[in-house]
Amino acid sequence: MSKRKEDDFPPATDQKRARPGWDSDDDLDFDPIEGTSQGAGGLPSIVSSQEPTGEYGIIESIQLENFMCHASLGPVKFGPSVNFVVGYSGKSTLLTALVVGLGGKSLGTSLKEFVKDGESSANISITLKNKGIDAFKPEVYGELITVHQHINGDGYASYQLKDCTGNVVSNKKAELTAILEHFKIRVDNPVSILPQEMGRQLLRTRNEGERYSFFLKATELEQMREEYSEILERKARSQHQIEQGEEQLEDLKRQGVEIEEHFQTMVTLGKTLEDMKLEMTWAVVSETERQLDDMISNINIGDQCTIILNQELEASKIIFNEALKRYTAIHENIQKLSEEASIIGPQCIQAKEDTIRTDRAYSLALAFYTSALNEYSEIEKVAGQHQSKLEILKSAVEMAELEKQEKISTLKEKIRNFKDQEDSLVEEIKHLHQAIERDDKEHSRVREDVVYVQELLDDDQCQLNRLKDCKNQPLKLFGHQMPALIEALEDAHRQGQFTYKPIGPLGAYLRLRDPEYALAIECCLKGLLFSFFCDNPNDAQILQELIKRFYPLGCKRPQIIVSAFDCELYDVTDRAPYHPEFPTALTALEINDAVVTNSLIDMTGIESVLLIKNNAMARKMVLPHGPPKNCTKVLTACGDEVFQGRYYSCEESRPTYLGDMDMEIHNLEKDMENRMARLSAFQEQVRSLEKDVRENRETIDSHYRHLKEIKINVINITKEIRDLEDEEDSRAISLSVLEDEAQEYNEELKRVREKLKARNQDLESLRKPKLEAEERFEELTLRCNQVSELMESLIEEQNQTVLEVEAKHQSMLHYDCRLKEHLDSLQVKKEEMAMKERELERETAQAIYICPERKIVTKSASVLSREINALKERIQSENYTHRNREDVMRQYQEAKERYLDLDGKVKNLKKLIKTLDKVSTQRYETYQRGRRNLSLQCKLYFDSLVAQWSFCGEMRFDHKNETLAMTVQPSDATSSDLGCLPGDRQSFSNFIFILTLWSVTKSPFRCLDAIDVYMDWDRRKLAMEMILRIASTQNHHQFILLTPQFMRSLLPSPIIEIFQMPDLNKDEEILPLQEVRPEVEDKEAA
């Protein structure tokens, strides 16, 4: 059991789920020994502090296997408040399993005795709830912690701690102890778990000392008293250890004196040895100085050699540089000539090509000129002969041509008349086609309007049918599956599958103060209207399974939002915008559920959304200057969103979920009437347009027939004119041919003259470039030959210079290599000299450190070393203890260390005694103060309890004699009704004593085994009523009551669970646990 400090007893109001502590005020005027207290109606009804609710540490279920006489029992599932386990057998087995499974030690029985006869092992599985802010490692265990204990036939027990999914988290007993400490579970405390035998003894006891002992054990004051006794025993043991330590210190002190006397004898011989070691130190320094002088003389000779080698290297470098300069000059000249040759070569080739090209061009131009001159002479001769024939035929043709032209003019006039008629018909046909095209476009547009209006009409009819169908079942607004889903949800809630009933769909919980804002609210909340709210993930998982049952895969499913329900409405006064005319989205809604309101505030911030019916008013207020303070968004009645500088229109025209159903039906019917009228007008317009198009097409066909007739006449007349034009006189044909030929001859002569002139100009222009190209080619050829000869002589000189440079370079590298080798050797010697100097400095410093005054040494270091070794052998032989110096020093050091260690322990023990004196005093004072405060709390709660139930009672503590006296009697007003509590009144008083101890102990659950069997029917009924009253006010505690009674007199209550234990059957070892309701028991009893 862990030790307690004074702060282990905090006030009851400072801790959650904590046992009410005692007040630290020392000025409380109350005598814990002689004080008494009388119950009175004026006392407060509840003395102990109120504690927060939460399901953590209470028992969820117990399951047994091969335990005691049961092969399999359970799982026994308990409720969070009052649980009655009824029946004639097996109840104590559950209580024993609870104590053993949670590591209890108060049974005093070996664990192997709990294994069922004939079985090799037994298993106990206890599941604890782990919910709330005080849960134990919720991220590891989740909402349930399962303690699984395995007991083998030898009585050895092992533990497995599992999380909510059944995975093993730990198998250490320390982890179980930490869980029990965290939940304040004390299975060995009789107030937490009261077995039947102990309860029988307590209820029947009249001994005030036994009752006081029970009070100490229940409040854990007995444990504090045992710890105080342990402190006193430890103090006595420490005092005895101090006395023994002081005796050992005297023995060690005498042993140290003897070792010092032995050591002093060896000091004299050691001093002589030290003097010789000092001489040895300076002898080593002298030898090092001699070696250093030899090194310095060798390095000086090496420096002189370095100077000579440097001079030879510089001379070779000068010769090499001169040869390199000559090579560089020759190489640069060759480069320049190469560049010049590279330039002249292409120029020479280009000049040769230009010469050949100009020569060819001049020869070709000369040939063209000669050919043109010959052609001109021949054409001029033929043209003169042809002109004489033309003059003779021209006069005969003129008369026949005049007659033919008159007839052709008459026929062309008729064609012009037909052309005018054709143009007018074509223009009229064009206008008719345009009219038809306009009518077709209008017809298509009107047909699209007809289709659009018909689709709107069909949608309105479907919406009207849906609204009329949803009028009796509003949930169908959210989908035809929603009523069935809600019914399944209600069934699951009635069956207790949900911790808290899910809320949804959200739109079903909203009512509008002004129906005109319906579309704006839907645009603000959007998909949340179709969503469900769950308090925890388990409820969300169950709801998800229900949704999957009614919404197939691929179908839009309601969204599930998981958030802990907060039933206290948020105060958003400081966060909401204020406007005297326009409401917010929150104030425009009537919401009866605070959880729904808080969730909408958390998820959409509806308290900061301002609603304005008129779009123009919204733009005027928001667009220039921005929304009012605390306003995040402005919505108009038609669902448009208005921000500063932005405006977003809503795509929807009417609300889907939140609108007034009667108004929406009326508006739909009115819209359908208007659309029917529009549809009739559009259909009439379609018929009119079709008639116009048909008439215009008939007119076009008639015009096309007329045009065909006109074209036939024009073709006939044109054919006649062509025939007249083709009927030419042979003389006219000959004349025309001769004129054409004469014209051709003239044009040919003109062309040949121009050609002859151009050929002469080309010939003159090519003569000069031909001469220039030939001259340039000769000059470039001469320069190219000169450059080639000069380059050959320079290349030969360059090759000779390369050989000379290579020879000089090898000579320079030879001297450079010799110099580097010499310098490396010299550097090694200098480094050795530096090392020797550092060695000399180190040896000198060591010698000065050992012997500051330099000694004149005549002996060498080797001689001194031999003398020192001889002296050491003498010291060793002269040692009268026949032990070396290290053994003496080690023995002395060990004795000294033991002395100091023992002395420190003695001092620490003395300090410990002082600390124990102080701690024991504090513990005793804490014990006294705790005992006084706990007794005071018991008296106050006892007085309040008996006053509530109209009793008179007295509780008196005598801490000096360790007795506790108490009496409970009915008051005058109720004595006639209770019959003055017939029977043994002492057992009922002790029962109230147990209830009083509940107020000063901390445990998430209380277990009582068959405590009511020792009372008559009246007191048993009264005791149950008192327990139920306490349970209704302490919803953070779980009560498990084991009784052979079937509790048929209890009225049904949501906090009561009744489980009937099965009777043992020799033929059947696996027995299920039955849950029994009071009304079922009444029927069975009837």
Side-chain angles (χ1 to χ4, degrees):
M1 187 65 70
S2 61
K3 295 184 178 180
R4 298 176 179 269
K5 298 182 180 179
E6 182 176 355
D7 56 1
D8 287 338
F9 304 93
T13 57
D14 292 342
Q15 291 185 352
K16 297 181 179 179
R17 297 185 60 88
R19 180 183 64 202
W22 40 81
D23 193 354
S24 60
D25 188 3
D26 293 336
D27 296 333
L28 184 63
D29 187 13
F30 182 79
D31 185 3
I33 299 178
E34 299 298 336
T36 61
S37 178
Q38 300 289 334
L43 290 174
S45 61
I46 297 177
V47 178
S48 60
S49 62
Q50 294 295 325
E51 301 175 355
T53 63
E55 295 184 358
Y56 50 90
I58 66 176
I59 301 171
E60 173 76 8
S61 65
I62 301 176
Q63 186 171 4
L64 309 178
E65 181 181 353
N66 298 330
F67 187 80
M68 296 179 70
C69 57
H70 293 274
S72 178
L73 181 61
V76 181
K77 295 185 178 180
F78 295 108
S81 187
V82 180
N83 299 270
F84 287 97
V85 181
V86 302
Y88 298 109
S89 62
K91 302 184 301 301
S92 298
T93 303
L94 285 179
L95 198 64
T96 304
L98 179 62
V99 175
V100 174
L102 294 180
K105 301 177 181 179
S106 62
L107 298 176
T109 305
S110 175
L111 291 178
K112 65 181 179 180
E113 297 181 8
F114 295 116
V115 180
K116 187 176 183 294
D117 294 339
E119 300 294 339
S120 60
S121 63
N123 292 302
I124 303 173
S125 182
I126 301 173
T127 302
L128 304 177
K129 285 193 176 182
N130 192 39
K131 297 182 180 179
I133 58 175
D134 289 336
F136 180 79
K137 298 180 181 179
E139 69 282 356
V140 177
Y141 288 96
E143 296 185 351
L144 295 174
I145 298 176
T146 301
V147 181
H148 182 83
Q149 185 184 42
H150 178 78
I151 305 173
N152 60 17
D154 298 331
Y156 175 76
S158 60
Y159 289 91
Q160 284 186 343
L161 302 178
K162 303 179 181 180
D163 59 11
C164 59
T165 60
N167 298 324
V168 178
V169 177
S170 175
N171 54 8
K172 298 180 180 179
K173 181 68 177 295
E175 181 77 0
L176 174 60
T177 304
I179 293 173
L180 298 180
E181 287 293 332
H182 181 80
F183 291 144
K184 312 301 180 186
I185 296 174
R186 305 287 188 270
V187 293
D188 292 331
N189 191 330
V191 176
S192 296
I193 300 177
L194 185 62
Q196 180 177 2
E197 183 62 25
M198 186 179 294
R200 181 184 64 81
Q201 295 176 2
L202 178 62
L203 290 178
R204 293 184 176 182
T205 184
R206 295 176 179 272
N207 190 323
E208 298 177 354
E210 293 180 359
R211 192 181 292 123
Y212 187 85
S213 298
F214 190 82
F215 164 75
L216 294 179
K217 187 172 183 180
T219 57
E220 298 184 2
L221 290 172
E222 183 178 6
Q223 178 184 348
M224 292 186 62
R225 187 161 63 177
E226 292 175 355
E227 291 174 356
Y228 175 73
S229 300
E230 291 178 359
I231 292 173
L232 295 180
E233 293 176 0
R234 185 176 179 183
K235 177 182 175 182
R237 290 195 302 269
S238 299
Q239 186 65 40
H240 180 65
Q241 291 176 359
I242 289 173
E243 294 175 357
Q244 292 179 347
E246 289 176 346
E247 294 177 359
Q248 294 177 4
L249 284 175
E250 291 297 329
D251 295 339
L252 290 173
K253 189 174 182 180
R254 287 193 300 271
Q255 185 179 356
V257 171
E258 292 176 358
I259 294 173
E260 287 179 356
E261 291 176 354
H262 294 165
F263 183 74
Q264 194 66 31
T265 307
M266 300 176 63
V267 171
T268 304
L269 295 175
K271 186 175 181 182
T272 304
L273 179 62
E274 290 298 325
D275 292 339
M276 295 181 70
K277 287 183 178 179
L278 295 177
E279 292 181 2
M280 177 68 179
T281 303
W282 285 109
V284 173
V285 172
S286 299
E287 289 185 3
T288 305
E289 289 175 345
R290 287 194 296 272
Q291 294 174 1
L292 185 61
D293 292 337
D294 296 338
M295 289 182 177
I296 292 173
S297 62
N298 293 332
I299 290 172
N300 291 333
I301 296 171
D303 290 339
Q304 294 176 1
C305 293
T306 302
I307 295 172
I308 296 171
L309 290 172
N310 279 326
Q311 292 174 354
E312 293 177 351
L313 179 62
E314 290 298 326
S316 64
K317 285 183 178 179
I318 292 171
I319 297 171
F320 171 73
N321 290 333
E322 291 176 354
L324 186 61
K325 287 179 181 178
R326 289 197 303 274
Y327 172 78
T328 304
I330 295 171
H331 182 70
E332 289 177 355
N333 292 331
I334 292 174
Q335 289 292 111
K336 291 178 181 178
L337 290 175
S338 298
E339 292 175 358
E340 186 177 358
S342 63
I343 295 172
I344 294 173
Q347 291 179 354
C348 185
I349 295 171
Q350 184 65 34
K352 184 177 180 181
E353 292 177 354
D354 292 343
T355 302
I356 296 172
R357 179 174 52 78
T358 54
D359 186 55
R360 289 178 179 173
Y362 182 79
S363 300
L364 183 62
L366 182 60
F368 284 158
Y369 178 75
T370 304
S371 173
L373 186 60
N374 295 331
E375 184 181 2
Y376 180 77
S377 300
E378 293 178 359
I379 294 174
E380 186 176 15
K381 181 179 179 181
V382 174
Q385 296 174 358
H386 188 74
Q387 184 66 29
S388 59
K389 293 180 182 181
L390 180 63
E391 295 295 335
I392 297 171
L393 289 174
K394 188 178 291 187
S395 58
V397 173
E398 289 179 355
M399 296 301 295
E401 184 66 24
L402 290 174
E403 295 177 359
K404 185 176 67 174
Q405 289 299 328
E406 290 178 359
K407 188 175 181 179
I408 290 173
S409 298
T410 304
L411 294 174
K412 285 184 178 181
E413 184 66 26
K414 292 182 180 180
I415 290 176
R416 280 195 294 272
N417 293 333
F418 283 123
K419 288 288 185 181
D420 293 338
Q421 295 179 14
E422 183 181 5
D423 292 341
S424 63
L425 288 174
V426 168
E427 187 67 24
E428 188 174 354
I429 289 172
K430 181 179 178 182
H431 289 310
L432 289 173
H433 275 299
Q434 291 176 353
I436 291 173
E437 185 177 357
R438 286 196 303 273
D439 291 343
D440 285 340
K441 290 182 179 178
E442 184 67 18
H443 180 269
S444 299
R445 186 186 63 78
V446 175
R447 288 293 299 173
E448 290 176 358
D449 291 341
V450 169
V451 173
Y452 175 69
V453 173
Q454 186 64 46
E455 290 177 354
L456 292 179
L457 195 61
D458 294 341
D459 292 341
D460 290 344
Q461 186 63 45
C462 293
Q463 183 71 6
L464 181 62
N465 295 336
R466 187 176 70 86
L467 289 176
K468 288 181 179 180
D469 187 32
C470 296
K471 192 171 183 180
N472 297 328
Q473 289 184 328
L475 286 176
K476 285 189 176 180
L477 285 172
F478 303 93
H480 64 278
Q481 307 101 321
M482 189 59 69
L485 175 61
I486 296 300
E487 184 177 358
L489 188 148
E490 293 288 348
D491 293 341
H493 178 61
R494 285 192 294 270
Q495 295 172 7
Q497 297 182 17
F498 294 108
T499 305
Y500 295 97
K501 179 185 175 182
I503 297 175
L506 173 64
Y509 289 79
L510 305 181
R511 298 293 180 271
L512 293 173
R513 302 180 187 274
D514 189 346
E516 294 185 17
Y517 289 123
L519 183 57
I521 296 297
E522 288 190 6
C523 292
C524 177
L525 301 181
K526 298 179 180 177
L528 287 177
L529 295 170
F530 197 57
S531 303
F532 283 77
F533 289 136
C534 289
D535 176 73
N536 54 77
N538 289 339
D539 291 351
Q541 184 66 29
I542 297 172
L543 179 59
Q544 185 68 33
E545 296 299 326
L546 293 178
I547 291 175
K548 289 180 180 178
R549 188 192 309 170
F550 296 98
Y551 290 84
L553 187 63
C555 180
K556 181 182 178 183
R557 296 176 176 176
Q559 181 183 4
I560 300 175
I561 302 170
V562 182
S563 178
F565 289 171
D566 190 352
C567 298
E568 183 178 355
L569 187 64
Y570 292 165
D571 184 7
V572 295
T573 307
D574 297 336
R575 293 184 290 170
Y578 172 73
H579 197 281
E581 299 181 17
F582 309 120
T584 64
L586 179 61
T587 57
L589 291 172
E590 291 183 1
I591 308 173
N592 297 326
D593 196 324
V595 175
V596 176
T597 305
N598 294 340
S599 300
L600 291 178
I601 292 173
D602 289 336
M603 299 190 67
T604 62
I606 60 173
E607 79 281 1
S608 60
V609 178
L610 199 63
L611 303 180
I612 301 176
K613 291 183 180 180
N614 188 273
N615 292 6
M617 181 68 70
R619 291 191 182 96
K620 182 178 179 181
M621 185 178 73
V622 178
L623 291 178
H625 310 293
K629 181 181 179 182
N630 296 334
C631 179
T632 59
K633 181 166 60 175
V634 173
L635 289 172
T636 65
C638 59
D640 298 345
E641 298 183 16
V642 187
F643 299 93
Q644 185 176 7
R646 294 173 294 164
Y647 187 90
Y648 300 101
S649 299
C650 179
E651 297 179 355
E652 302 295 333
S653 60
R654 58 166 52 93
T656 305
Y657 305 107
L658 301 180
D660 187 345
M661 201 171 299
D662 294 333
M663 184 182 296
E664 290 297 323
I665 292 174
H666 175 70
N667 292 337
L668 279 174
E669 291 175 346
K670 187 174 181 181
D671 290 346
M672 288 179 65
E673 292 176 359
N674 295 334
R675 289 194 173 100
M676 287 291 293
R678 287 181 61 192
L679 184 62
S680 300
F682 285 144
Q683 291 174 346
E684 182 64 29
Q685 188 176 359
V686 167
R687 287 191 293 271
S688 175
L689 289 172
E690 290 176 349
K691 180 180 178 182
D692 293 343
V693 170
R694 185 168 58 254
E695 292 176 353
N696 289 335
R697 291 188 187 281
E698 291 175 356
T699 305
I700 288 173
D701 293 340
S702 175
H703 287 346
Y704 274 127
R705 288 192 297 272
H706 192 189
L707 278 174
K708 187 176 181 181
E709 294 174 357
I710 290 173
K711 286 184 177 181
I712 292 172
N713 293 330
V714 169
I715 289 171
N716 292 332
I717 295 172
T718 303
K719 183 178 180 182
E720 186 178 355
I721 292 173
R722 192 179 296 112
D723 293 340
L724 288 173
E725 289 176 350
D726 292 339
E727 291 178 0
E728 295 182 353
D729 190 9
S730 59
R731 290 173 297 180
I733 295 173
S734 300
L735 179 63
S736 177
V737 170
L738 290 174
E739 287 178 350
D740 293 338
E741 290 178 354
Q743 183 67 25
E744 291 177 358
Y745 285 136
N746 291 332
E747 291 177 357
E748 187 68 20
L749 285 173
K750 184 178 179 181
R751 184 183 64 77
V752 171
R753 280 196 300 271
E754 292 177 355
K755 182 179 180 182
L756 185 63
K757 183 179 179 181
R759 296 301 182 189
N760 188 24
Q761 291 175 355
D762 293 340
L763 187 65
E764 292 299 327
S765 63
L766 290 173
R767 182 179 288 111
K768 185 177 180 181
K770 174 178 176 297
L771 296 175
E772 291 177 354
E774 290 176 351
E775 183 180 356
R776 178 171 176 76
F777 175 67
E778 291 177 359
E779 292 176 357
L780 291 173
T781 303
L782 179 61
R783 178 59 183 165
C784 187
N785 293 332
Q786 292 174 355
V787 170
S788 299
E789 293 174 358
L790 186 59
M791 279 186 66
E792 289 177 359
S793 63
L794 287 176
I795 289 172
E796 184 177 357
E797 186 179 356
Q798 183 186 25
N799 293 334
Q800 294 176 358
T801 308
V802 167
L803 296 176
E804 183 180 356
V805 169
E806 184 66 25
K808 300 302 181 184
H809 184 255
Q810 291 296 330
S811 176
M812 183 183 68
L813 291 177
H814 171 70
Y815 285 113
D816 186 57
C817 183
R818 284 184 60 190
L819 179 60
K820 286 183 178 179
E821 291 176 355
H822 176 71
L823 290 176
D824 292 341
S825 175
L826 187 61
Q827 183 64 27
V828 170
K829 292 180 180 179
K830 288 181 178 180
E831 290 176 357
E832 290 178 353
M833 184 186 72
M835 292 175 61
K836 186 60 71 175
E837 287 176 348
R838 290 193 295 272
E839 183 179 355
L840 178 61
E841 291 176 359
R842 185 172 62 254
E843 291 175 351
T844 304
Q846 185 177 2
I848 293 172
Y849 177 76
I850 296 172
C851 181
E853 183 180 357
R854 181 160 185 167
K855 293 184 177 294
I856 305 301
V857 182
T858 58
K859 301 177 182 179
S860 64
S862 59
V863 174
L864 287 173
S865 177
R866 287 193 297 271
E867 292 179 357
I868 288 171
N869 291 332
L871 184 58
K872 287 181 178 179
E873 291 177 357
R874 182 182 174 188
I875 290 173
Q876 187 175 5
S877 64
E878 293 291 335
N879 191 350
Y880 73 97
T881 59
H882 302 287
R883 293 179 298 177
N884 55 28
R885 182 179 178 181
E886 287 75 10
D887 293 338
V888 175
M889 289 295 294
R890 185 170 60 254
Q891 185 179 3
Y892 177 76
Q893 190 66 28
E894 290 176 355
K896 183 178 179 181
E897 290 177 356
R898 288 200 303 272
Y899 179 84
L900 294 175
D901 181 60
L902 189 57
D903 185 59
K905 289 182 179 179
V906 171
K907 290 179 180 179
N908 290 336
L909 287 173
K910 290 180 180 179
K911 291 179 181 178
L912 178 61
I913 288 177
K914 292 181 180 179
T915 303
L916 290 175
D917 288 337
K918 184 178 180 181
V919 170
S920 62
T921 303
Q922 292 176 351
R923 280 301 176 92
Y924 185 72
E925 292 175 354
T926 302
Y927 170 75
Q928 294 281 10
R929 184 168 57 253
R931 185 177 61 181
R932 181 185 65 182
N933 290 335
L934 286 173
S935 60
L936 175 60
Q937 287 188 23
C938 286
K939 289 181 179 181
L940 293 176
Y941 188 85
F942 175 80
D943 294 343
S944 174
L945 186 63
V946 297
Q948 289 179 26
W949 294 90
S950 301
F951 290 111
C952 294
E954 179 183 10
M955 178 179 285
R956 184 173 62 253
F957 285 90
D958 186 352
H959 297 302
K960 182 176 181 181
N961 297 320
E962 295 188 350
T963 60
L964 193 161
M966 61 177 294
T967 57
V968 177
Q969 296 179 353
S971 62
D972 296 338
T974 59
S975 59
S976 60
D977 296 336
L978 296 177
C980 296
L981 296 177
D984 188 5
R985 188 177 291 111
Q986 192 64 36
S987 62
F988 188 76
S989 300
N990 290 331
F991 171 74
I992 294 181
F993 174 57
I994 294 174
L995 299 184
T996 303
L997 291 179
W998 279 359
S999 66
V1000 295
T1001 55
K1002 49 186 177 181
S1003 179
F1005 56 83
R1006 326 281 196 186
C1007 298
L1008 299 178
D1009 186 7
I1011 197 170
D1012 58 337
V1013 299
Y1014 307 109
M1015 304 179 189
D1016 58 18
W1017 188 90
D1018 293 330
R1019 281 179 295 168
R1020 182 185 305 120
K1021 179 180 179 182
L1022 183 59
M1024 292 301 106
E1025 290 178 357
M1026 296 177 74
I1027 291 176
L1028 293 177
R1029 177 76 63 85
I1030 293 173
S1032 64
T1033 59
Q1034 297 180 6
N1035 53 6
H1036 54 279
H1037 283 148
Q1038 182 186 41
F1039 298 86
I1040 300 175
L1041 308 176
L1042 286 72
T1043 175
Q1045 311 296 329
F1046 286 92
M1047 309 310 295
R1048 295 186 176 91
S1049 60
L1050 290 178
L1051 296 176
S1053 174
I1055 68 171
I1056 298 176
E1057 299 285 345
I1058 300 177
F1059 302 94
Q1060 182 176 349
M1061 293 294 294
D1063 295 333
L1064 284 178
N1065 191 339
K1066 294 182 180 180
D1067 298 330
E1068 217 173 20
E1069 293 184 346
I1070 300 177
L1071 302 175
L1073 192 72
Q1074 299 177 357
E1075 181 176 356
V1076 181
R1077 295 293 179 183
E1079 58 269 19
V1080 177
E1081 294 179 353
D1082 293 342
K1083 293 179 181 179
E1084 292 177 354

